[in-house]
Amino acid sequence: MDLIPAPQVVLLDEGGRRFAFGPQPLLDAGPGTGTTARWLRRELAAATGWELPAAPAGASAQLRLRIDPDVEGDRGPESYRIDIGPDGAELTGASAAGLFWGAQTLRQLLGPDAYRRAPLPGRAWSLPYASVVDGPRFGWRGMMLDVARHFMPKDGVLRYIDLLAAHKLNVLHLHLTDDQGWRIEIKRHPRLTEVGGWRPRSRRGHRASPLWNETPHGGYYTQDDIREIVAYAAERHVRVVPEIDVPGHSQAAIAAYPELGNTDVVDTTTLGVWDDWGITENVLAPTEAVLRFYEGVFEELLELFPVEVSPFVHVGGDECPKTQWKASALAQERIRELGVDGEDGLQSWFVRHFDGWLTARGRRLIGWDEILEGGLAEGAAVSSWRGYAGGIAAAEAGHDVVMCPEQQVYLDHRQAGGPDEPMPIGYVRSLEDVYRFEPVPPKLPPEAAARVLGAQANVWTEVMENQDRVDYQVFPRLVAFAEVVWSWQPEPAERDFAWFEGRMAAHYARLAAQGVDYRPPGGPLPRQRRPGVRGRPIDGAPPNV
């Protein structure tokens, strides 16, 4: 079977028998299975023409859905079982989520055409006699999508939720604010999107490139857009983690509301939304007024992201230059008032304030690994991006960790070393490199290793100006990542990449049926290249830090 991610147990009929569906199969949806039943009727109906009517009393249904916690065993609440035989297919989930992941496997078993949006003439549908028993290795299986640098319209975000779900990934981390744009409507502060949502132009390529795209760029999600995104994700058992970056990466907010910046050292009224990449020195001022402003932002955010769908809120906390704070009399007085350890202490003060504020409202703060500096409250979690070290330190200190080391799973990094890779950034991270990524460092003792919630692949979009570019950078490497975080794997060096690569032959057809503009195994197509646009390639193997 060419299933991806690889299930724990697959038992195939030795005789190769298959169950052939009739023109209109019946669906028997047991208690608690309504979400998956609706998804099957919507998605499979598009490809097959089936209506999947409910089975009348006493009738035999060819598709049967059940929830039974006993199917869990030691595989966790997202586990499932599929049994296919002469009377059709029965899907049993340990929970509604487990059942939904089973439905994703069922779709793969039907073949690539099951991903199409209209039936192909004369297509017959069948399934192999088989039993599949499966469950995930990690509970956090995510992708971070940066919609601040290049805005992705709502329909594109919904599409990516479907793509995550198809690969049994269950977390979408939305990077909503940065120096280059503010992407979420905040009603009490309308200028955040009216001004902060737009920049006059964009650097084309790496920040060393002399090229510019002079077309103004921007956009944002209305609050109803966000509600739709969150609800759409919840139906597919995907959690959405919103990120509002503080105290750095905040020039778009300062452009909209100049009083948020360090007004005693820079004329913030002259600042616009940043049109370049990298790290700007324009950061938030360490004042009570700024805290109150962002508390208002987070109040509206929590209303849009219900706790049952989004228990975590990401506050960034990374890459905050201290130049303006060093020159600011107000910031220096604040350091003395608070009794913190210099400018680094101010950054920690920002993060710790919102840690307590979110905890008091039943949420958990998560931030990039710089938030470890200065100490964290007990419930805070860490996204370890600069390597493994931050995650190791956090786990050993008793904090939950999401592993996303830049050197391993930053999908903006180039996929090969050839000259045709578009806008080449960072280290070469091939499909095989991602397949050999290991979220839990071997040096972690068992108690600390249990703090690793899982991992996510990060998609920073400075050099991804549209959906096709995002597709190219993300796929097929996200497929390898999905197997890493779902399937129970041997040590990285012992993983059977040839087996995975063989299964990818069928999976490319599934991606194509979904309209994914993936990087072909042989390299970029001519239209996928960006000749003459400078990147920032780094030679050699990435450090294991």
Side-chain angles (χ1 to χ4, degrees):
M1 283 187 181
D2 295 319
L3 296 175
I4 295 179
Q8 288 189 41
V9 178
V10 178
L11 300 175
L12 283 172
D13 178 68
E14 293 182 358
R17 291 176 295 173
R18 299 183 69 88
F19 173 79
F21 285 99
Q24 286 298 334
L26 300 177
L27 177 65
D28 178 1
T33 67
T35 299
T36 297
R38 286 192 298 272
W39 182 85
L40 285 169
R41 287 189 171 110
R42 181 175 54 249
E43 299 298 327
L44 288 190
T48 63
W50 296 344
E51 296 179 4
L52 292 178
S60 177
Q62 292 77 46
L63 281 174
R64 301 175 297 281
L65 308 180
R66 300 289 184 266
I67 291 179
D68 180 1
D70 290 341
V71 81
E72 176 180 328
D74 59 354
R75 296 178 177 87
E78 292 183 272
S79 60
Y80 68 89
R81 179 184 181 99
I82 300 176
D83 293 296
I84 306 165
D87 57 349
E90 181 160 310
L91 281 63
T92 307
S95 64
L99 181 68
F100 183 73
W101 305 133
Q104 297 293 343
T105 299
L106 178 78
R107 194 183 196 184
Q108 287 196 17
L109 289 170
L110 285 168
D113 288 339
Y115 292 85
R116 297 191 180 276
R117 293 299 179 190
L120 298 183
R123 181 69 165 87
W125 300 96
S126 66
L127 291 170
Y129 283 18
S131 290
V132 179
V133 183
D134 202 10
R137 180 185 177 193
F138 293 106
W140 187 301
R141 309 180 301 277
M143 186 185 89
M144 190 285 303
L145 180 60
D146 170 20
V147 296
R149 271 51 176 270
H150 277 103
F151 177 64
M152 180 177 285
K154 180 197 68 179
D155 285 354
V157 176
L158 299 179
R159 173 179 177 265
Y160 258 86
I161 290 169
D162 279 327
L163 290 170
L164 295 182
H167 294 88
K168 300 186 176 72
L169 298 173
N170 67 345
V171 176
L172 173 62
H173 170 178
L174 276 182
H175 184 74
L176 291 165
T177 72
D178 216 295
D179 299 309
Q180 297 87 0
W182 185 286
R183 306 295 178 215
I184 180 170
E185 177 188 29
I186 303 297
K187 291 186 181 296
R188 72 189 70 185
H189 302 307
R191 287 175 58 85
L192 286 173
T193 47
E194 291 172 359
V195 174
W198 306 90
R199 62 176 181 263
R201 63 176 187 170
S202 305
R203 176 81 70 178
R204 185 151 170 77
H206 182 254
R207 58 183 175 272
S209 168
L211 304 177
W212 292 88
N213 181 344
E214 298 292 345
T215 303
H217 180 83
Y220 64 91
Y221 309 109
T222 68
Q223 294 200 350
D224 282 344
D225 289 340
I226 292 293
R227 291 185 180 97
E228 180 183 356
I229 288 168
V230 170
Y232 192 89
E235 285 187 349
R236 289 150 181 81
H237 300 279
V238 174
R239 289 180 290 161
V240 183
V241 176
E243 180 181 351
I244 303 292
D245 221 332
V246 296
H249 289 289
S250 298
Q251 184 165 323
I254 296 168
Y257 292 94
E259 64 271 21
L260 297 175
N262 295 282
T263 57
D264 61 339
V265 295
V266 64
D267 182 3
T268 55
T269 64
T270 65
L271 296 178
V273 177
W274 207 26
D275 60 6
D276 212 344
W277 315 129
I279 305 172
T280 174
E281 293 184 351
N282 293 297
V283 302
L284 298 175
T287 67
E288 292 294 326
V290 170
L291 294 184
R292 301 292 87 76
F293 182 97
Y294 273 85
E295 286 172 359
V297 169
F298 282 113
E299 282 177 4
E300 293 194 24
L301 192 81
L302 297 190
E303 292 176 2
L304 300 172
F305 293 88
V307 65
E308 60 271 15
V309 178
S310 304
F312 287 92
V313 174
H314 208 292
V315 300
D318 63 318
E319 297 179 328
C320 179
K322 312 300 192 301
T323 305
Q324 290 183 359
W325 288 350
K326 290 179 185 294
S328 167
L330 184 150
Q332 294 303 308
E333 178 61 27
R334 194 69 167 149
I335 290 171
R336 289 188 289 272
E337 288 176 0
L338 296 169
V340 298
D341 185 15
E343 292 77 23
D344 288 341
L346 275 185
Q347 181 172 353
S348 176
W349 168 75
F350 260 102
V351 173
R352 289 180 67 87
H353 174 83
F354 287 106
D355 189 354
W357 190 92
L358 288 165
T359 299
R361 288 155 181 81
R363 303 303 178 98
R364 294 187 63 188
L365 178 143
I366 186 168
W368 304 113
D369 53 55
E370 287 96 328
I371 69 172
L372 284 167
E373 299 160 7
L376 280 178
E378 183 177 344
V382 171
S383 301
S384 187
W385 77 273
R386 290 180 293 180
Y388 288 106
I392 292 170
E396 291 179 339
H399 295 287
D400 288 339
V401 175
V402 176
M403 286 294 188
C404 47
E406 173 186 18
Q407 303 85 354
Q408 312 298 328
V409 288
Y410 268 35
L411 300 187
D412 49 317
H413 282 212
R414 58 196 173 128
Q415 304 188 60
D420 291 331
E421 289 301 313
M423 304 186 199
I425 299 294
Y427 298 100
V428 171
R429 293 289 83 194
S430 68
L431 184 66
E432 182 172 0
D433 291 330
V434 175
Y435 191 67
R436 298 193 189 280
F437 164 61
E438 173 50 48
V440 180
K443 65 188 294 184
L444 270 184
E447 285 187 9
R451 289 288 187 175
V452 179
L453 301 178
Q456 67 183 34
N458 290 345
V459 182
W460 299 103
T461 62
E462 288 95 334
V463 298
M464 301 181 212
E465 73 275 15
N466 56 38
Q467 179 175 283
D468 287 348
R469 280 286 293 123
V470 175
D471 279 5
Y472 178 89
Q473 292 297 132
V474 168
F475 288 100
R477 292 183 295 179
L478 190 70
V479 184
F481 175 82
E483 182 147 308
V484 166
V485 292
W486 176 277
S487 304
W488 296 79
Q489 296 269 24
E491 293 300 313
E494 298 172 6
R495 293 176 190 172
D496 190 346
F497 178 70
W499 178 53
F500 173 78
E501 201 171 28
R503 286 179 286 129
M504 277 301 301
H507 201 74
Y508 284 119
R510 297 182 192 124
L511 294 177
Q514 294 171 89
V516 176
D517 199 17
Y518 61 85
R519 181 189 188 274
L525 302 172
R527 61 174 172 76
Q528 293 173 321
R529 300 167 188 162
R530 297 292 187 274
V533 182
R534 187 177 302 172
R536 184 183 59 90
I538 304 175
D539 293 329
N544 189 12
V545 294

